[in-house]
Amino acid sequence: MRLSYGIMDRKKILAYKPELFHKTDDLLIFPSEDFNSWHSGILEYIDGLYQINSKIMEKGEFVDTMDLNLATGVISNIKFEIDGLFNSKEVSGEYYLSKVDDKYKKRRKSLYGIYMQKIDRTAPIKMVITNKIRYKHLIEIIRYSEQQFDQKYKKRSNHTINKKKQTKISQLL
Amino acid sequence: MRVSRGVPCGRIVLPYNPELFNEHEEVIIFTREEFKNRYNSVMDFVRYIFKVDGYLKTGKDFLLLGYWSDIMEIVKLIELNINLIFDRKPIQTCLDVYLYGTITDHVDVVGESESKVPAKLRTSIYL
């Protein structure tokens, strides 16, 4: 497999062996320490499976259902590890959450009070256009055009009034 | 784990979300297709073992002795697939671009003009 190590440098990665990749390749990037520990963890589980097998071979006994249950338990652990590679969230079952902890007792505040306006303002993502909404939209356009027409008319009328005033003043002078 | 996709751009690799990694942290870079092949094959083997387990638990325990060797064979295959991740040899089974020839390390041939470039400038060329 083609792989190369690299170092992060200002939001870019300097690859040690960049000649292995084509221009059009899609790349996956892992932190090397975490990836190595993941790899060795899986190998350790597999080693456990071999130990179960060797124990049976040493005794010279037949395989029981208990041995199979042990083996499937180890393999389910391997599956958890493999699934966890692309999950950013850690598995919740592994961590114990005590009820005595202060964090658990704290009442969580809802953010609605602070960001009320922002939350209310967001429009629904999928809007079904019905006849009623279409009618409302039309009326909004008409009202907007009316407003603009009124403003222009007022401006014009003001302009003409000013002109008349000016002419009167000039006549008086 | 922290993962991000990326694109090669000359000597530099540009990650899609660089905020996941710390400054000066060492990273491993794989091509996505090859890694997908390894990952999917391991997952298929694991699923097969679960299927066998489910089949034997439907009151067919007497078949366990025969199936045990099958299970251990698949465990060996899982180990081989996981060890292939760090293997530098080209994988012939997937019919890659690297069907012919092996991957060799690149040897840089330094030109004459480059020796005259001062040290400060050289770093700024690819940054």
Side-chain angles (χ1 to χ4, degrees):
Chain A
M1 244 174 83
R2 289 173 282 164
L3 75 101
S4 95
Y5 287 87
I7 267 193
M8 283 295 296
D9 189 23
R10 289 185 221 164
K11 296 187 176 182
K12 291 170 187 173
I13 293 167
L14 290 173
Y16 295 166
K17 288 178 185 175
E19 71 273 5
L20 294 177
F21 308 119
H22 293 293
K23 260 187 182 178
T24 52
D25 270 341
D26 227 1
L27 303 178
L28 277 178
I29 300 151
F30 299 95
S32 69
E33 270 187 34
D34 291 359
F35 190 82
N36 277 321
S37 67
W38 173 85
H39 185 260
S40 56
I42 286 176
L43 284 181
E44 213 157 278
Y45 280 129
I46 288 167
D47 202 50
L49 285 167
Y50 283 134
Q51 279 180 27
I52 293 164
N53 188 39
S54 63
K55 228 179 189 180
I56 296 159
M57 299 285 273
E58 268 185 13
K59 287 177 186 174
E61 292 176 355
F62 296 119
V63 188
D64 293 332
T65 50
M66 291 298 289
D67 297 324
L68 182 72
N69 288 340
L70 239 177
T72 47
V74 176
I75 285 162
S76 70
N77 273 333
I78 291 173
K79 208 203 164 195
F80 268 120
E81 289 259 312
I82 293 167
D83 282 336
L85 190 65
F86 289 107
N87 287 341
S88 57
K89 289 177 186 174
E90 284 155 342
V91 183
S92 60
E94 290 181 1
Y95 294 96
Y96 174 69
L97 207 154
S98 73
K99 287 182 182 179
V100 192
D101 201 13
D102 287 334
K103 274 185 184 177
Y104 190 81
K105 281 180 184 174
K106 259 186 191 175
R107 203 175 165 188
R108 283 182 187 175
K109 288 176 186 174
S110 63
L111 293 170
Y112 185 72
I114 307 166
Y115 302 108
M116 193 167 25
Q117 289 178 338
K118 274 188 182 177
I119 291 164
D120 288 341
R121 214 183 291 156
T122 50
I125 300 159
K126 281 185 180 178
M127 240 173 95
V128 184
I129 298 167
T130 55
N131 285 327
K132 206 176 178 181
I133 289 168
R134 217 169 274 163
Y135 179 68
K136 269 188 182 177
H137 187 64
L138 268 174
I139 283 173
E140 270 182 9
I141 291 165
I142 290 162
R143 275 181 187 165
Y144 183 67
S145 63
E146 273 179 4
Q147 272 184 7
Q148 278 192 332
F149 187 74
D150 281 347
Q151 281 174 3
K152 274 191 180 178
Y153 185 71
K154 275 177 189 173
K155 270 184 189 173
R156 266 187 202 172
S157 58
N158 284 331
H159 195 65
T160 49
I161 289 161
N162 285 333
K163 268 193 176 179
K164 279 176 187 174
K165 272 184 185 176
Q166 277 179 357
T167 48
K168 271 184 184 179
I169 290 160
S170 63
Q171 279 174 5
L172 281 167
L173 285 168
Chain B
M1 204 188 284
R2 293 168 289 159
V3 195
S4 96
R5 283 168 64 186
V7 169
C9 178
R11 284 193 75 83
I12 302 165
V13 174
L14 300 172
Y16 285 173
N17 14 355
E19 71 276 1
L20 292 172
F21 306 111
N22 299 325
E23 185 73 26
H24 302 303
E25 193 180 14
E26 203 180 43
V27 290
I28 279 188
I29 306 159
F30 296 105
T31 51
R32 189 158 159 258
E33 278 183 30
E34 282 178 335
F35 194 80
K36 197 180 85 182
N37 284 331
R38 298 278 71 70
Y39 185 86
N40 281 337
S41 61
V42 170
M43 282 302 275
D44 284 343
F45 288 132
V46 168
R47 273 180 212 132
Y48 179 75
I49 288 174
F50 281 127
K51 270 183 189 174
V52 168
D53 182 46
Y55 174 68
L56 291 173
K57 274 170 186 169
T58 55
K60 296 188 176 177
D61 297 339
F62 58 95
L63 293 173
L64 211 170
L65 202 65
Y67 270 104
W68 183 254
S69 59
D70 199 15
I71 288 168
M72 290 316 293
E73 197 181 313
I74 284 162
V75 169
K76 178 69 186 168
L77 283 173
I78 290 171
E79 197 199 353
L80 280 176
N81 266 305
I82 280 169
N83 279 331
L84 270 177
I85 290 172
F86 282 106
D87 198 9
R88 298 295 173 89
K89 287 172 188 171
I91 302 154
Q92 297 284 328
T93 50
C94 299
L95 287 177
D96 277 313
V97 184
Y98 294 97
L99 190 63
Y100 311 105
T102 53
I103 303 167
T104 51
D105 290 347
H106 188 73
V107 181
D108 274 319
V109 181
V110 183
E112 284 180 21
S113 62
E114 204 175 342
S115 60
K116 291 170 188 172
V117 180
K120 279 182 185 175
L121 263 175
R122 194 179 286 175
T123 50
S124 64
I125 286 166
Y126 49 78
L127 285 180

